[in-house]
Amino acid sequence: MDVKIKKGKIEDEAAEAIVLSHYEGEKSLSEETAAVDRALGGRIRELIAGGEFTGKRNQSLMLYLKGEIPAKRVLLVGLGKKKEFSAEKIRQAMGTAGRPIREAGLKAFSTPLHGRGQNKITTAESAQAIVEGSLLGLYQFTAYRTEKRDEIKEVQQITLVDRSDGKIAEVAAGSRSGQILAEVVNYVRDLCNHPSNVVTPSRLAEEARTIAKEFGLTCRVIEKAEAESLGMGAFLGVARGSMEPPKFIILEYTGGKKKDAPVVIVGKSITFDSGGISIKPAEKMEQMKTDMSGGAAVLGTMKALAQMKLPVSVVGILPATENMPSGTAVKPGDVVTAMSGKTIEVINTDAEGRMILADALAFATRYKPSAIVDLATLTGACVVALGNHATGVMGTNPKLIERLKRAGEDCGERVWELPLWDEYHEQIKSDVADMKNIGGRGAGAITAAVFLRKFVGDYPWAHLDIAGTAWNDEARPYAPKGATGVGVRLLIQWLTEMSRGRA
Ligand code: BES
Ligand code: ZN
Ligand code: ZN
């Protein structure tokens, strides 16, 4: 996508379409909407007075013009109530605006800055939210459509038009951050939407190598033999059922001072979760191609970090394997020894995410990190608890959890805490080993986290269960059906605050 910045008046834009916004229930129009309204002889005010356009959140209305201004169309979009306004409303409004423009077959649109100054939204924040919302909302996954490809519609250019003096540099900076983030999130969505016969552990390793090469990161891929000598029995136990070679992938970005302890982010990278011998029901099993969403988010975060040159040091770890049933697969009742030396009784082979994370988290502690954050499509129980509107967070460090929650609120990827009380530990006690890999009926999201906790030592750690947020069954304003790419914007928001010394 080509994103352009221009100083000028939106009413002078010779665009195929311009996007104008309005707050619900407000009499007065924004400066830009008012300017166009005057040129149109009060047509926008009439539509509002008649109740045809109310400015309700995510309402949109296309107007066809007859040469009153150089633009051919105006797309009105609602920002919702003024007092509830936030950058999230801009992202949603622009996500909503993009699709009717694309459906009309248009290749480009122009937009002024929306919501600037309202509820402390700065010029850069508005520009970032506009670009993020537009690019994320216009995402479509068409890699496997071979028929009628020429009928695929695509918006190719967005122009941000700002009339105010001396603000263009700020508009450009915000727009650039928005474009980096949205393009990375769309890359993550692609990785998750591609099927598991394409996105294999080997492919994830290739992606990591490509990112490292392009942006100057360090990449190391631990192959099966080396993982064996490192004693990664939990990770390899999961990989044993599959013909696809497992890959334990590490990416390092050093943006901070050499002596600073890095942050380690770990992403569950099961490229297909059949359940293994404890095989899953056939219904919706195809969705388990996205069981590497955590790992994809880690790859994306590393890519974004390097492009944004954030002054923090971050290590990304992806334990990548399939979880398959076969004659060589791990069986219920088997005991494996994790890299930390702890033994695990595998009661259910479908609880494989925590197994691979056990070794990845233990590996993370080798960096003596300032914090460890893992992202995993870990439990159906988290989907039951929080649905699709919040990522579950659990951990040992209240400050870290607070910061992640705040970052989530700011970037529109909400995070909600579940407790990790000691009492839950009882549920994963095993009769034959140090622990078992499932905790019975109650509190499934929590007992999974309790299991992970045994591998992070005393390092500040937070676990993000993205099982409910990584996939959309229905389209949202700026996230079409399918993979959402959740996690990248959340981690970058948190790391940005950290680099500013605010987190
Ligand atoms: N990958 C699944 C969790 C999942 C479920 C992700 C639905 C996205 C949507 C995970 O590996 C799994 O199978 N978890 C089991 C754990 C159980 C066996 C304790 C689950 O949640 O049912
Ligand atoms: Zn599973
Ligand atoms: Zn899984």
Side-chain angles (χ1 to χ4, degrees), residues 5 44 124 269 332 335 388 397 477 479:
I5 314 287
I44 296 174
S269 306
V335 175
N388 306 118
N397 189 302

Side-chain angles (χ1 to χ4, degrees), residues 219-288:
C219 179
R220 175 179 169 201
V221 178
I222 297 177
E223 305 287 340
K224 188 176 159 206
E226 197 187 344
E228 272 164 5
S229 58
L230 285 167
M232 295 181 165
F235 172 59
L236 291 170
V238 175
R240 236 166 64 189
S242 171
M243 297 287 285
E244 285 292 338
K247 306 276 169 178
F248 191 96
I249 306 158
I250 304 148
L251 271 175
E252 294 177 13
Y253 166 73
T254 318
K257 298 193 187 81
K258 279 271 174 325
K259 62 173 176 31
D260 288 351
V263 165
V264 183
I265 53 178
V266 179
K268 172 176 172 181
S269 306
I270 295 289
T271 57
F272 188 73
D273 182 11
S274 69
I277 296 296
S278 316
I279 198 160
K280 286 181 180 294
E283 196 175 317
K284 290 212 174 165
M285 203 206 265
E286 74 282 359
Q287 246 181 48
M288 286 300 127

Side-chain angles (χ1 to χ4, degrees), residues 7 116 123 162-172:
K7 181 167 161 38
R116 173 170 42 193
T123 297
D162 188 21
R163 71 177 71 215
S164 61
D165 277 320
K167 292 282 186 190
I168 284 296
E170 246 188 275
V171 176

Side-chain angles (χ1 to χ4, degrees), residues 22-30 45 48 54-55 80-83 118:
H22 183 59
Y23 295 107
E24 181 181 1
E26 293 295 318
K27 282 228 163 60
S28 63
L29 307 181
S30 74
R45 276 189 189 281
I48 294 169
T54 61
K81 298 206 173 74
K82 211 169 186 174
K83 65 174 189 305
Q118 187 60 36

Side-chain angles (χ1 to χ4, degrees), residues 268 273 280 287-288 291 348 350-354 377-381 383 438 467:
K268 172 176 172 181
D273 182 11
K280 286 181 180 294
Q287 246 181 48
M288 286 300 127
D291 213 18
N348 190 317
D350 196 12
E352 84 298 338
R354 64 198 77 180
T377 45
L378 205 62
T379 66
V383 191
I438 61 168

